[in-house]
Amino acid sequence: MSSRSGSARDYETHDELPGCSASPPVPEPSETEAGGLIFYHMDLYGSKERFDIFPEEPSGQGDRSLGDIRRESALSSEKFQCSQEAGYDLEKEVAELAKMYGLDEDREKELELLGGHREMVESRRPPARTEKAGSQGSVYNASKSISPVKDQSQSTKQQGLHGKASHDEDQSKGRAEDEAESHTWSREGVSSGGVSDEWSSQAVSEEEEEAADVFCSTCKIPIRAFDKLFGEHKDHEVAQLPSAVESEKEEIHKNMCKLEEQIAQMENFASHLEEIFITVEENFGRQEQNFEVHYNDAVQVLAQKYEEQLEALGEEKRQKLEALYGQLVSCGEHLDTCKELTDATQELYLENDKATFMKAAVTMVDRLEEFLKKEVDLELSTPPEFEDRVIDFSEVEELMNSINTIPAPCAPVINPQAPNAATGTSLRVCWGLFSDDTVEWYQLCYKPVSNERRSDDQADHTLKVKETYCTITNLLPNTQYEFWVSALNASGISPPSERAVYVTAPSPPIIKTKKIRSCENAALVCWESRDINPVDSYMVELSKLTDEENGDIITESIVGIPNCEVLIHLQPTQSYRICVRALNLGGSSERSEPVLIHTTGTYFCLNEDTAHPLLAILDDGFTIACDQLENPECDLPIYDNSFTRCIGILGSLIPFPGKHYWEVDVEEDTEYRIGVAFENTPRHGYLGANNSSWCMRHIITPSRHKYEFLHSGMTPDIRITVPPRRIGILLDYENCRLSFFNADIAQHLYAFNSHFQHYVHPCFALETPGILRIHTGIATPPWTALA
């Protein structure tokens, strides 16, 4: 802590510190008081508990604790006051105090170290006592104000004595109030080095801690600037608190952006999980249905085979029974015949008449021989066993195995177009398959969107793609295309996805070089689109050209331009390269061909649509000429916006407020009119003959060169002795003034004072064969300000 001379006035700002109440006004020191000591009582140090928070280190004077120092300071204060009463030498006592605290030896060094930080150190001094503490100052504050000043006022002595008398009275009250204090000030290590010792503020309560004004980057905490100079943060890297706050805010903003990105990703993932849940349910239903279908097919096949086998078995039974029945009938018939013959033979044996017997016997023998000649089949015509029948389960096995066969995939989901995923001739299309289906390849179909009615399934192009994305090339710029995709595997093809419309990026615009206008602080740039379909917006890119830069570095971009022109604010006396891009949902077009714009003065072009048919514009674009004037109202083609009587032409509109200057080279033997005019100035009249144009006219008479300054057909009587060869024209919108100058000799010729209700065009006309050369981009000469 520094020691310096001064009065109580130096410490009157302590009542503004946080946690300190206003102190009573301190009287001015009188000239009769010597020593320069002013004592302040601070109730911060009135309580014993406050002394106990500082450990006592009985090492040396430089290592003494604050408690020892304050006790010694209190004794010194009492000794000082007693010396005042006993008439002791005040200056000697001051010197002893300064020597005891090591302040007299290092004062020079301290002032040198503090340097420009003196005011900052002063603002970091401990706060003065509160209003209830009385007017008595503490020895701690007194030690800071010790100085060997010779001439002190007597009022300071009286203030010190009065403080001694009131100290005992207020001490008990001050100690009670100290219990409620929320912070304390301490000085650590009062060494023999004096100023090089560190002083710091130790916080007991954070609520009333002194406000920090710098940020320690090493410890990552706010600190006081005083701690950077003499505290524990002396060698640490610090930054200004506002810049640190901005840096932290920026870091927090970045982290918040990252957090928002993570939130968006998690939300997308959660949405994806929900889609997977739904897909699992759908796949389960599809697989269950597939299994049921295959099971029913297998049962149906088994039932069919059962019916077939049962029918075949029944047919075999019928055949066996029919065969056995036929054999049984035949056997029955044979038995009947045998029985008949047997009965007949037995009756023959019983015949007594031999002649009758013989006749009947011969016939019976013949019948027996004929019957016995017949072969009797005694073997079974069909076996009783049935044929072993085996059911063919191969078809059933095939059906059962087909249950585990990969099903045909479900329809893919085509993604909407991503920003900046297109160029003027290409598109990147992406899709996904939100299921567990196996896909061998995809079939991507697309066609341009048109108003023509045709089949929705008709595709102009079909591509076979392995991945879930594809880049399509050879497309038309700024054109909408309709895409849909299907998934395929060995089991079949999926239904097509929903249709998605993609659009290609626009073509690069074309800047209209001849319609560019500029001045010292702005430029109006116009362009046209090369696409049939409209675009969403345009973007202008600026590159400032200097000796160090090559112009490829974009210094500024202007986005969201809805129309094909923009007014750009620029810096004076600079050169810019300007490009334009067109934008739509697909992305940005390529850059247009760049144009150069200079802000050294006002630039404009000549509007050929307004030129009289006899007026020619030479190749440089700024020189007009007329060869013959025999028939001004000629039969040459005339545009709707062209002059018909006056052989004149308008320059492009100057739509910038402020001052604009250009010059015109004229020939001494040529009659002409030059000036400015409104857009609606009559094309069938002469410049200056109406209230919508202002011009300077040159007429050659037999006696002299005559100059007129025309507006509404009126001109003042002005004589110009030196015919100008280069005429300067200054248009001042703000001051409503149009001035003409002889640029060669910096002579002011005339000035119109007129309120321009609208922006004006430069205008030029020839009344005799000759030429006019126009010079733009000229900085306004300083001598024009004198006009």
Side-chain angles (χ1 to χ4, degrees), residues 535-581:
V535 300
D536 294 341
S537 63
Y538 296 92
M539 176 174 63
V540 175
E541 297 178 344
L542 306 178
S543 301
K544 186 184 294 185
L545 302 181
T546 62
D547 296 338
E548 294 79 11
E549 297 179 357
N550 55 10
D552 293 333
I553 301 176
I554 304 300
T555 57
E556 183 180 357
S557 295
I558 304 173
V559 299
I561 304 172
N563 303 319
C564 291
E565 67 176 23
V566 64
L567 181 64
I568 309 171
H569 295 282
L570 304 173
Q571 298 177 359
T573 66
Q574 299 290 338
S575 297
Y576 294 88
R577 177 179 283 116
I578 295 182
C579 302
V580 181
R581 294 178 185 263

Side-chain angles (χ1 to χ4, degrees), residues 417-428 477-479 502-509 531 534-539 581-591:
Q417 183 173 5
N420 301 320
T423 65
T425 58
S426 67
L427 282 170
R428 181 180 176 88
N478 199 27
T479 303
Y502 281 55
V503 60
T504 53
S507 301
D531 299 316
V535 300
D536 294 341
S537 63
Y538 296 92
M539 176 174 63
R581 294 178 185 263
L583 294 91
N584 62 8
L585 179 63
S588 170
S589 70
E590 299 294 330
R591 295 180 184 175

Side-chain angles (χ1 to χ4, degrees), residues 261 523 629:
E261 292 178 359
L629 299 177

Side-chain angles (χ1 to χ4, degrees), residues 50 244 254 312 670 680 732 763:
R50 297 304 176 98
K254 291 180 180 178
T670 302
N680 61 352
D732 190 347
C763 59

Side-chain angles (χ1 to χ4, degrees), residues 612-614 628-635 638 643-647 686:
H612 189 278
L614 295 179
Q628 52 89 19
L629 299 177
E630 287 80 6
N631 186 14
E633 299 181 3
C634 60
D635 297 331
I638 298 177
F643 284 96
T644 57
R645 297 184 62 186
C646 177
I647 307 177
Y686 289 95

Side-chain angles (χ1 to χ4, degrees), residues 486-498:
S486 301
L488 296 92
N489 60 15
S491 299
I493 183 171
S494 73
S497 66
E498 295 291 334

